[in-house]
């Protein structure tokens, strides 16, 4: 079962097409997946890692999104993932 780790939506209620959205999902095999878009009318960006998460172990996950450069990066326990 795929689990959503976090999902965010940022925007102005008066301008709903300017909302920025992103989510991080965890797959049962330990892969991380992220999808994001800068606005409602913008294309989606996504990234998926190899299996990196370990069961029953606390791990810190960070996702950076640079819409201008069309780049997304995952970090696990402070280390950038390939």
């Amino acid at each position: 079962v795929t689990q959503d780790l976090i999902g965010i939506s940022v925007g102005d209620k008066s301008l709903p097409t300017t909302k920025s959205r992103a989510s991080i999902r965890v797959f049962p095999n330990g892969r991380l997946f992220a999808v994001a878009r800068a606005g409602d009318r913008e294309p989606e960006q996504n990234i998926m890692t190899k299996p990196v998460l370990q069961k029953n172990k606390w791990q810190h996950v960070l996702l950076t999104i640079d819409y201008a450069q069309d780049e997304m990066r995952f970090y696990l326990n402070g280390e950038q993932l390939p």
Side-chain angles (χ1 to χ4, degrees):
V1 174
T2 303
Q3 299 274 330
D4 278 343
L5 191 58
I6 188 169
I8 61 168
S9 178
V10 179
D12 183 338
K13 291 180 183 180
S14 65
L15 298 169
T17 59
T18 63
K19 288 186 179 178
S20 175
R21 294 184 176 92
S23 68
I24 299 173
R25 295 183 180 134
V26 178
F27 284 80
N29 63 359
R31 287 179 182 248
L32 293 167
F33 174 78
V35 61
R37 64 179 174 185
D40 286 348
R41 295 185 180 143
E42 300 295 322
E44 287 185 349
Q45 301 172 3
N46 61 64
I47 184 173
M48 183 179 278
T49 69
K50 295 178 180 178
V52 293
L53 295 180
Q54 298 174 22
K55 290 183 180 182
N56 301 318
K57 181 179 179 183
W58 185 94
Q59 295 161 92
H60 181 258
V61 174
L62 174 73
L63 173 70
T64 62
I65 305 169
D66 184 338
Y67 291 115
Q69 298 296 317
D70 195 25
E71 292 180 352
M72 298 171 72
R73 293 188 180 116
F74 266 117
Y75 293 81
L76 183 64
N77 300 322
E79 305 251 342
Q80 184 178 345
L81 296 173

